[in-house]
Amino acid sequence: MPENPMDGWKGLRDIRVLDLSRLLPGGFATVLMADLGADVIKIEDPGSGDYGRLVDPDAFAALNRNKRSVVLDLRDPDGRETLLRLVERCDAVVESYRPGVLEGMGLGFERLRAANPRVVLCSISGFGQSGPYASRPGHDLNFLALSGFFAVPHRTEGAVDRVGVRVADLAGAMYAAFTTSVAVAAAGATGQGQHLDVSLHEAAAAWCGPLALPLLERADPVDSPLVTGDNDVFVVADGRRIAFATFEDKFWLTFRRAFAEEFPALADEAYDRRADRTRAKREVRALLTDVFAQRDLAWWTASLSALDLPWAPVYESADEVLDDAHVQDRQLVGTLPASATERSRRQVRFPVLFGAGLDSLRGAAPGHGEHTAEVLAELDG
C-alpha cells in the first residue's frame, strides 16, 4: 500500500478497496474512502477506461483523487484470474454493474468469497439486486421520480422541481461508503465478509421518507406544517434571489420590527406566532414576495447583515461560492496537485475537519492504468 500522509491516526489506511465502478455513485463512494486513507485501486478496461474520463474530466478528477488505476480486461480469463488474486489481498470490492453482470463474468460474490472469505462486495445499482425493477435501466432523475422526492412540497404553490445536484446518486454513494466500512470492520472481527445490496432508489427514498410518509394523512401535502410562507427563496428588485427562513417566532419578530417603518405592510402583528404564520402561509409568502421585490440585493445585504437572522444571498455561480469569506476562512476549497497526467484543479476538500488532521487533497486522479505495473508487482511481494 502506498505511503499515506495521515500522521497520528489510521483513518482507513488499513483498508484496500477494488473499485470496479464507473461514473458518479461508485466513484463518490470510493473517493470518500480514499480521502480517509483507504488504498482504492480503480480497475479499468483496456480501451478508454472509465468513460467518466471522456464525459467530464473535471468531475472525473474530483471523483478519483487519491486512487490508483490498474488496467484489467475482465472479459479475458487472465484478467479475471488477476482480479481474483487482487481480491485475495483486498478488503472490499465496489461495483456498479447491472444485477447479474458480475455473476455472468464468473466474479459473483460466491466466487470472490472463495478467493477471500473476508471480502465485502458492495453492489451499487439503480433498484437493487432483486425485485421487478432490478434489471431496469435508470439514472438519478428516474430514481428520484420513484422515491417520493417530488411528493414533498417546498412552497405554497407550484410543482416540486428537480435540482441540479444528483441527489439519489450521492445519497446511495454515501450509504455505500458507510456500510462498506462497517462491513469491513465486522469482517475483521468475524472473519466473514458479506454482500451489500445498495439501491440508489431506496437510498433516495430513505432521505425522502421522513418528510413524505407523514403526508399520507393530509388531503393536501401543502398543509404540512413544514411548508411555510416565510421559509423560501425570494426575488429582489434587481432579479437576484435571497433565501429567507424565519421559522421561529423570534426571527420573524426581529425582521418585522426592523423593517415595519420602511414597509408598512410589516406593521401587522397578525403573523407573530408560528401557528398563525403557518395557517396563513400563502398570505405570508405573498407579503414577503412584495416586500423583498422593492429593494435590490445590495440594499437587503446591508440591511439584513446587521440583524441576527437566518437569511443568505443565493449564489448562482461557482465564483460566488469561491469568493465567500466563510468558505475561504474554512479553506473548504483547495487545489489538488498536478501530476504527470493531470493538471492542478480546485476541488472541495473532505467536508469534515478531523482534530487529528486529514489532507484529502493530496493526490491527483490517476492516469488510465498508471499503477498497473506497481500494483501487479505487489502480488509477488
Side-chain angles (χ1 to χ4, degrees):
M1 189 177 297
E3 182 181 350
N4 192 327
M6 294 174 62
D7 296 333
W9 68 298
K10 287 185 175 182
L12 298 180
R13 285 174 65 174
D14 292 338
I15 293 177
R16 175 171 287 177
V17 179
L18 298 184
D19 182 4
L20 276 58
S21 70
R22 296 180 176 185
L23 297 175
L24 179 56
F28 191 67
T30 52
V31 82
L32 292 176
M33 292 186 280
D35 281 356
L36 292 173
D39 179 21
V40 176
I41 300 172
K42 184 175 180 63
I43 305 298
E44 303 190 70
D45 64 47
S48 58
D50 185 340
Y51 43 82
R53 293 181 179 276
L54 305 176
V55 174
D56 187 343
D58 287 311
F60 179 86
L63 294 172
N64 291 283
R65 66 191 184 209
N66 303 324
K67 299 179 184 179
R68 299 195 283 172
S69 172
V70 170
V71 167
L72 287 180
D73 187 352
L74 299 184
R75 296 167 298 183
D76 180 79
D78 289 341
R80 294 194 293 271
E81 185 59 33
T82 300
L83 182 77
L84 290 171
R85 291 182 66 200
L86 289 171
V87 168
E88 293 174 4
R89 299 186 178 208
C90 79
D91 300 284
V93 176
V94 176
E95 62 97 2
S96 59
Y97 295 106
R98 282 207 211 180
V101 170
L102 202 64
E103 183 79 37
M105 290 191 288
L107 296 171
F109 179 59
E110 293 305 321
R111 183 66 187 91
L112 300 183
R113 185 162 64 175
N116 179 359
R118 295 174 61 254
V119 74
V120 171
L121 173 61
C122 177
S123 295
I124 304 173
S125 64
F127 298 102
Q129 301 297 302
S130 62
Y133 295 169
S135 61
R136 186 170 169 174
H139 286 295
D140 179 84
L141 189 58
N142 311 123
F143 311 140
L144 289 179
L146 296 171
S147 72
F149 179 87
F150 293 92
V152 181
H154 56 84
R155 56 170 50 111
T156 56
E157 67 275 330
V160 178
D161 204 354
R162 67 175 296 189
V163 295
V165 175
R166 274 45 174 179
V167 177
D169 285 351
L170 295 176
M174 294 179 74
Y175 282 114
F178 173 60
T179 55
T180 298
S181 299
V182 170
V184 166
T190 65
Q192 296 296 315
Q194 58 182 299
H195 188 185
L196 305 176
D197 179 358
V198 178
S199 158
L200 301 177
H201 162 244
E202 290 168 10
W207 279 21
C208 299
L211 299 178
L213 294 183
L215 299 177
L216 290 169
E217 302 174 5
R218 299 184 181 278
D220 183 354
V222 174
D223 289 339
S224 166
L226 298 181
V227 178
T228 68
D230 54 327
N231 183 9
D232 210 337
V233 173
F234 298 92
V235 179
V236 297
D238 57 357
R240 294 296 305 273
R241 296 188 293 172
I242 66 172
F244 188 71
T246 55
F247 193 82
E248 299 91 339
D249 289 344
K250 63 180 180 179
F251 293 131
W252 173 264
L253 289 170
T254 296
F255 172 77
R256 188 180 68 74
R257 290 167 179 170
F259 295 104
E261 184 174 348
E262 185 80 19
F263 307 104
L266 291 175
D268 191 346
E269 300 178 355
Y271 308 133
D272 283 356
R273 294 188 305 167
R274 174 71 270 161
D276 294 328
R277 291 197 303 285
T278 299
R279 274 192 294 271
K281 60 185 70 179
R282 291 174 175 81
E283 293 81 357
V284 169
R285 187 175 191 279
L287 168 63
L288 292 176
T289 297
D290 179 66
V291 166
F292 283 120
Q294 296 182 49
R295 300 290 186 273
D296 64 16
L297 182 62
W299 190 93
W300 281 113
T301 297
S303 301
L304 292 170
S305 293
L307 303 174
D308 182 29
L309 290 174
W311 81 281
V314 173
Y315 291 158
E316 301 187 59
S317 74
D319 286 338
E320 290 182 297
V321 176
L322 292 172
D323 289 341
D324 185 273
H326 188 77
V327 169
Q328 294 179 1
D329 185 78
R330 298 273 294 181
Q331 298 180 356
L332 179 59
V333 179
T335 300
L336 198 68
S339 69
T341 57
E342 279 288 314
R343 62 175 173 82
S344 63
R345 300 173 191 265
R346 285 183 293 185
Q347 292 186 4
V348 176
R349 60 163 169 78
F350 191 87
V352 177
L353 294 177
F354 289 83
L358 175 68
D359 177 14
S360 61
L361 301 180
R362 58 185 181 271
H368 180 219
E370 179 180 345
H371 303 95
T372 301
E374 174 185 296
V375 172
L376 297 187
E378 293 171 4
L379 292 176
D380 299 321

